[in-house]
Amino acid sequence: MSGLAAARAVSDAFDEVAVLERDPLPEGPETRAGAPQTDHPHVLLEAGRTTLEDFFPGFSEDVIRNGGLMVDAATEMKYYENGGFFADGPNRLPMLCASRALFEHVTRERVRDLENVDLRDGCRFVDYVFESKDGVRGVRYRDEDGTGATLSADLVVDATGRTSRTPAWLEEHGFRAPDVDEVTVDVTYSTIRLDRPTGERTVLFVPPSPPRTRGVAAIPIEDDQWEFILQGIHGDTTPTDPDAFLAFANSFPVAEAGRLPAEREWTSEEIRHYPFPSSIRRRYDELEAFPDGLVVTGDAIASFNPVYGQGMSIGALDALMVHRTLAENGLDDLALEYFPRAADLIEQAWRVAVGADFEFPQTTGPKPRGTDLFNRYVNRLIRKAHADDELTDAFYRVFRLERSATTLLRPGIAWRVLRP
Ligand SMILES: Cc1cc2nc3c(=O)[nH]c(=O)nc-3n(C[C@H](O)[C@H](O)[C@H](O)COP(=O)(O)OP(=O)(O)OC[C@H]3O[C@@H](n4cnc5c(N)ncnc54)[C@H](O)[C@@H]3O)c2cc1C
């Protein structure tokens, strides 16, 4: 997703753009080996949706035409935290729901339509072409037969995800590798699909919240289905056996969590499992030297605890930052200009996700300053939001990355939170 968004961003600035993807690309909305998380629910936050809409006008309509749904998060999302559900919000909050495979398919087809972009599958990146005077000048890759090839380029974007090899490459070539902030959460996911009655559009969201190390969510997707996930944090491993799955689902203080998998038909054959050990953030923004001709985006910079649904949106926003920096600065010092800008937006998402993770005493890693105090305030806000729709609206907009977390401290919100 980050690579596709980046391809769209740079297509405005260069004559030719090539996307190299190691997987054979499916024709339709299918999962693939290179992105195994595609089997699990993917929420597209509003900041990500509007950015993709800017890049690809009509993106949301395309998703809906292919079976996705636009729900109203203010009234159709049932979000349970701190002993109750949020009150319905006063303003409509569009939330585009579809499987990750469908989001990716629609994005890829829109990239395919761009005249100056060439999508090449079965191409495994192996190394950068580097000249110490000029920086990165292209990539070396291998095609499906294992034949090596070189592609020259004025700019290379690394969007290879969490396992990006750029940090190791930097060290091998005399640069400093970025420091890494790592916050250990030890999350597991178990996902099934359920038959969904036509017209039923409820989103259920019950994130882990101490002392409960378990979360559950149901997201309506195409073909009248729900994606239904169990989440476990800090070693509360989610099951892959159907009986244990039902028992886990029944352990929540929310009746729907147990009822849905017990009463609705399962439309997936197996329970898919995914372990996610830690959120990581590579501090490229702190580097003083970086090769010309190269930038990094998406999970390759920051990979977030997936419970908060931020990754695709940040990938799109990173691409927007590449676009803006190119438009303002051209290629000169592009990386050194771009990384701090990307860091500002990553910081917003990181604080939301990591802040919530540090509610659990078992979470380890660098804790942003002020986290405990802010968490106490947000917990009070959430309890008040069970009966105050203005607080629901304020909280949801931060969660959706529409507004920064500091907006929760505005006087009009603070007095609603702090009054006895
Ligand atoms: C269980 C789980 C649930 C998630 N839920 C959400 C959610 O609800 N909402 C959300 O927004 N995000 C979610 N995410 C995060 C989301 O999947 C990623 O943030 C998003 O895919 C953007 O990542 P990316 O494109 O940067 O990297 P990736 O998705 O990892 O893509 C990297 C791409 O690079 C290719 N590649 C890798 N190496 C090479 C190479 N050497 N040569 C050529 N190609 C290569 C891979 O095949 C792949 O296509 C979730 C993640 C997980 C693990």
Side-chain angles (χ1 to χ4, degrees):
M1 287 298 289
S2 304
L4 293 169
R8 167 62 190 85
V10 300
S11 71
D12 283 344
F14 295 90
D15 294 334
E16 289 177 61
V17 179
V19 181
L20 304 185
E21 166 57 53
R22 67 180 167 194
D23 276 355
L25 289 177
E27 289 288 307
E30 285 161 39
T31 60
R32 45 186 189 87
Q37 76 273 28
T38 316
D39 272 336
H40 297 272
H42 271 61
V43 169
L44 181 59
L45 300 180
E46 187 60 2
R49 183 186 75 84
T50 50
T51 304
L52 289 169
E53 191 68 48
D54 277 351
F55 280 148
F56 308 107
F59 171 81
S60 308
E61 280 304 316
D62 279 359
V63 171
I64 292 166
R65 227 187 342 269
N66 281 277
L69 304 74
M70 187 71 89
V71 307
D72 175 14
T75 56
E76 293 176 308
M77 181 163 77
K78 304 297 168 206
Y79 184 152
Y80 180 96
E81 194 161 0
N82 286 351
F85 285 97
F86 280 82
D88 283 355
N91 306 306
R92 203 179 124 65
L93 296 174
M95 175 179 182
L96 188 61
C97 294
S99 69
R100 152 69 190 240
L102 182 52
F103 284 132
E104 187 180 308
H105 169 70
V106 168
T107 311
R108 189 161 50 234
E109 292 311 298
R110 293 298 298 265
V111 169
R112 239 191 256 284
D113 288 345
L114 299 171
E115 272 178 10
N116 61 338
V117 180
D118 182 15
L119 269 182
R120 304 185 193 177
D121 59 355
C123 293
R124 177 182 291 271
F125 156 79
V126 284
D127 199 3
Y128 297 116
V129 177
F130 179 67
E131 290 159 19
S132 46
K133 186 166 58 70
D134 299 324
V136 169
R137 300 298 298 157
V139 292
R140 284 184 249 286
Y141 66 96
R142 267 195 220 106
D143 66 18
E144 273 162 314
D145 311 328
T147 313
T150 299
L151 188 64
S152 302
D154 294 316
L155 175 65
V156 176
V157 180
D158 172 12
T160 53
R162 185 177 166 102
T163 55
S164 157
R165 301 215 308 272
T166 298
W169 182 92
L170 287 171
E171 274 191 330
E172 284 158 23
H173 290 78
F175 292 91
R176 228 188 83 200
D179 289 342
V180 182
D181 292 344
E182 179 164 18
V183 173
T184 306
V185 280
D186 193 10
V187 177
T188 48
Y189 265 49
S190 288
T191 299
I192 57 169
R193 287 188 176 186
L194 298 174
D195 167 64
R196 175 171 57 84
T198 311
E200 166 60 77
R201 299 154 54 86
T202 304
V203 178
L204 177 68
F205 187 53
V206 187
S209 175
R212 180 169 36 76
T213 46
R214 299 177 166 193
V216 59
I219 317 282
I221 60 160
E222 62 271 18
D223 300 329
D224 291 337
Q225 297 181 93
W226 269 300
E227 276 187 316
F228 185 91
I229 21 164
L230 301 177
Q231 299 154 333
I233 182 167
H234 292 305
D236 191 356
T237 307
T238 53
T240 49
D241 157 79
D243 289 336
F245 190 96
L246 288 173
F248 194 111
N250 251 318
S251 69
F252 291 91
V254 173
E256 289 90 325
R259 210 163 33 76
L260 282 178
E263 291 180 3
R264 304 305 309 174
E265 186 191 337
W266 294 28
T267 53
S268 53
E269 277 165 22
E270 56 186 52
I271 300 171
R272 291 173 303 245
H273 194 252
Y274 200 104
F276 182 93
S278 57
S279 302
I280 53 173
R281 180 177 179 190
R282 301 187 174 114
R283 301 307 308 253
Y284 285 107
D285 53 302
E286 294 174 347
L287 296 179
E288 281 165 11
F290 199 80
D292 284 340
L294 177 66
V295 290
V296 184
T297 71
D299 280 20
I301 306 183
S303 156
F304 302 87
N305 178 349
V307 169
Y308 310 103
Q310 299 169 321
M312 295 191 296
S313 296
I314 294 297
L317 287 163
D318 285 346
L320 190 64
M321 259 340 142
V322 171
H323 192 279
R324 186 173 298 174
T325 315
L326 268 174
E328 289 174 8
N329 292 61
L331 279 169
D332 291 341
D333 285 334
L334 176 66
L336 295 176
E337 292 287 333
Y338 153 76
F339 283 128
R341 295 177 184 206
D344 285 346
L345 64 94
I346 290 168
E347 178 74 15
Q348 301 291 335
W350 184 258
R351 278 188 166 263
V352 170
V354 164
D357 290 338
F358 275 111
E359 290 244 49
F360 288 90
Q362 306 94 311
T363 301
T364 58
K367 191 195 280 191
R369 219 164 349 121
T371 297
D372 292 338
L373 187 62
F374 192 65
N375 280 351
R376 276 203 294 281
Y377 176 80
V378 172
N379 276 324
R380 187 174 166 95
L381 182 152
I382 292 171
R383 281 194 299 276
K384 294 275 182 127
H386 296 158
D388 184 336
D389 61 354
E390 292 295 334
L391 292 182
T392 298
D393 192 72
F395 180 85
Y396 280 6
R397 287 179 192 275
V398 171
F399 186 77
R400 291 152 57 86
L401 300 179
E402 277 181 66
R403 292 190 187 150
S404 87
T406 53
T407 59
L408 298 179
L409 300 171
R410 282 181 185 162
I413 299 299
W415 82 267
R416 301 180 95 97
V417 175
L418 297 176
R419 66 185 165 175

